[in-house]
Amino acid sequence: MKFRYIATLFVATSFISLQAQTDRTAADTTTIDTAAVVLPWPQNVQARLDTLMQDPLLERTQLGLMVYDLTADSMLYSYGAKQTLRPASTMKLLTAVTALDQLGARYRYNTSLRYTGEVKDSVLMGDLYCVGGLDPMFETKDLKAFVQSVKALGIDSIHGNLVAVTNFKEENLLGEGWCWDDDNPQLAPLLVDRKDEFMSRFMQGLRDEGIAVDGACMTGSTPKDALMLSSCSHSLKEILEPMLKESDNLYAESLFFQIAASMGKRPATAAHARQLIKKTLGKAGISDIQYRIADGSGLSLYNYVTPELMTKLLIYAYRNQRIFMDLYTALPIAGQDGTLKKRMKEPFVNGKVRAKTGTLSGISSLAGYAMTPNFHMLAFCIINQGVMKNSDGRGFQDLVCGALCK
């Protein structure tokens, strides 16, 4: 069943057809390297990687590398794979896999507008409650829909308050270990167009529609008898693609707190999310590997993982069809889209790598899946640490992927 599933997936993504997978099974043991010397597979790939390990870049920087042959279910290559290194944005893979594992692709973000009281003579005698769920996709059009739902009550004034319900998550608007001078997203439960301007813009929207508000904007909780006026929701699957392909930090952090909130505790905290990530890592067979999780995006300087951990996580995702399909299709494709659009455009690697990039000062990383010429699927993780030019790390990673796919 696993073989049939993966073959079908590759058809859909233009990697290979089911017939090609069947026809080439007998060719899994040999291939030809660039020097036209016939070597047993996988020794030819290992020889190419051994050559790359002589790169002068490794004399002055750290490298952690692991490659696992998923088709053969065996280790293909390892170099410094047990080193604890900063993952940068490949951290988003932990967030994505945990979310798919714990929540599922159909999980939905929710932002809602509720009210209490009753309408008398075109006046709402009660309060409006804006209930936040840290939805990064909530936009101006959604806010206008909220305003129109109030107008539909047939009122011209509100004798009450506008209440922001922000107990979805902890109060911190920045993640642990984020640099103050970074372009950091604000982690507010009520967002509109990615900004913490929900309540002020909602108030203005009501005024623009001729609806006066007698009370004030304040924070509070939702009463049990509050009635629904309007709601907006987006699925986890909708969040996943921009999060991974474009390496969107706000989307990743929003998903991190959705994971946390699934424990049912309010406010949800980063510690809650870490508990569930640890649970998924345990299911992936990761228990005796040292790591530290600070956030969901990889912005934090306090995150530490090993290439072994990342590769085992990718193996776990691959072996779980419910996770793999959504993860794989959301990853950037070499030479074609996302953060890999301008990389690995050579014919022998273009379209044959789907992986998450990572960049911080001194860190360049890449982790995901690659397809070999004999149609073996590989899981890999590459972390270059201590690189003064991130382009050096990216160049090295592209060479590694070329060695896997050429």
Side-chain angles (χ1 to χ4, degrees):
M1 291 300 294
K2 185 65 180 178
F3 174 85
R4 185 182 301 276
Y5 160 64
I6 294 301
T8 302
L9 176 62
F10 295 158
V11 171
T13 56
S14 300
F15 259 46
I16 62 174
S17 68
L18 179 59
Q19 186 60 50
Q21 176 86 345
T22 303
D23 293 344
R24 294 177 180 268
T25 300
D28 280 356
T29 56
T30 60
T31 191
I32 300 175
D33 70 1
T34 54
V37 177
V38 178
L39 290 173
W41 198 93
Q43 284 86 344
N44 61 326
V45 178
Q46 293 165 344
R48 292 174 191 267
L49 295 176
D50 282 340
T51 299
L52 290 177
M53 297 308 109
Q54 308 306 312
D55 192 309
L57 177 69
L58 305 188
E59 295 178 3
R60 61 183 187 275
T61 63
Q62 291 176 271
L63 170 67
L65 166 66
M66 179 172 278
V67 184
Y68 192 89
D69 187 334
L70 295 162
T71 304
D73 195 15
S74 63
M75 182 67 66
L76 182 61
Y77 201 85
S78 179
Y79 183 100
K82 293 184 180 293
Q83 292 188 86
T84 50
L85 305 168
R86 290 172 178 164
S89 279
T90 56
M91 193 72 184
K92 293 180 176 69
L93 287 171
L94 275 78
T95 304
V97 173
T98 299
L100 289 169
D101 185 43
Q102 301 288 338
L103 307 178
R106 294 183 180 180
Y107 173 90
R108 302 196 72 85
Y109 290 59
N110 285 288
T111 306
S112 63
L113 178 63
R114 301 168 186 266
Y115 76 101
T116 55
E118 57 183 347
V119 176
K120 292 182 178 180
D121 300 325
S122 301
V123 178
L124 173 61
M125 306 295 291
D127 301 320
L128 290 179
Y129 295 85
C130 301
V131 186
L134 189 51
D135 184 350
M137 297 186 75
F138 193 94
E139 300 174 345
T140 296
K141 63 179 178 62
D142 304 310
L143 191 67
K144 288 181 178 178
F146 275 23
V147 172
Q148 290 302 313
S149 71
V150 177
K151 185 178 180 181
L153 290 174
I155 63 175
D156 56 26
S157 61
I158 299 171
H159 190 60
N161 302 310
L162 299 186
V163 183
V165 182
T166 58
N167 62 349
F168 176 80
K169 64 172 290 291
E170 60 190 349
E171 292 183 0
N172 297 334
L173 295 183
L174 298 176
E176 180 185 355
W178 288 8
C179 291
W180 66 269
D181 57 350
D182 246 342
D183 184 18
N184 298 313
Q186 286 196 324
L187 307 182
L190 281 166
L191 294 170
V192 57
D193 296 331
R194 306 174 65 96
K195 298 178 181 178
D196 185 15
E197 300 174 350
F198 191 106
M199 296 305 291
S200 61
R201 290 178 59 178
F202 182 54
M203 173 73 87
Q204 186 59 51
L206 293 173
R207 290 171 177 165
D208 291 344
E209 291 293 335
I211 301 172
V213 180
D214 295 339
C217 281
M218 56 189 296
T219 59
S221 56
T222 311
K224 292 182 179 180
D225 61 344
L227 301 174
M228 181 73 73
L229 257 182
S230 186
S231 66
C232 176
S233 70
H234 295 99
S235 70
L236 189 156
K237 190 172 182 178
E238 291 178 88
I239 297 290
L240 204 60
E241 185 166 316
M243 166 185 154
L244 294 177
K245 285 193 181 291
E246 304 304 329
S247 199
D248 193 299
N249 292 321
L250 175 59
Y251 280 51
E253 292 300 330
S254 75
L255 191 52
F256 185 70
F257 280 99
Q258 301 300 320
I259 294 169
S262 70
M263 295 187 69
K265 299 177 181 179
R266 296 292 184 275
T269 68
H272 296 146
R274 294 179 193 123
Q275 289 179 43
L276 290 182
I277 292 175
K278 184 177 180 179
K279 182 177 178 180
T280 292
L281 290 177
K283 293 166 69 175
I286 299 164
S287 57
D288 58 348
I289 298 175
Q290 289 191 340
Y291 62 88
R292 183 176 180 186
I293 297 167
D295 65 10
S297 63
L299 279 172
S300 177
L301 299 181
Y302 300 163
N303 291 312
Y304 279 95
V305 301
T306 70
E308 180 185 18
L309 178 151
M310 297 296 289
T311 306
K312 283 190 172 184
L313 183 75
L314 291 167
I315 294 169
Y316 174 71
Y318 173 82
R319 290 174 176 170
N320 288 267
Q321 182 174 341
R322 184 175 65 89
I323 297 174
F324 184 67
M325 178 68 79
D326 291 307
L327 176 69
Y328 186 76
T329 55
L331 287 169
I333 306 173
Q336 296 184 19
D337 67 14
T339 54
L340 288 180
K341 185 175 183 178
K342 297 181 179 179
R343 294 173 60 177
M344 295 180 273
K345 300 182 75 70
E346 298 85 355
F348 59 86
V349 69
N350 189 318
K352 295 180 181 179
V353 172
R354 294 195 178 218
K356 182 69 199 74
T357 57
T359 304
L360 281 175
S361 180
I363 305 293
S364 182
S365 56
L366 186 70
Y369 301 97
M371 174 61 65
T372 71
N374 61 345
F375 305 108
H376 278 218
M377 175 70 99
L378 309 177
F380 70 89
C381 176
I382 314 165
I383 301 179
N384 295 98
Q385 182 164 286
V387 287
M388 300 304 292
K389 295 181 179 179
N390 290 120
S391 58
D392 290 342
R394 291 192 293 268
F396 180 83
Q397 294 150 22
D398 292 355
L399 290 174
V400 169
C401 289
L404 300 178
C405 298
K406 193 169 183 179

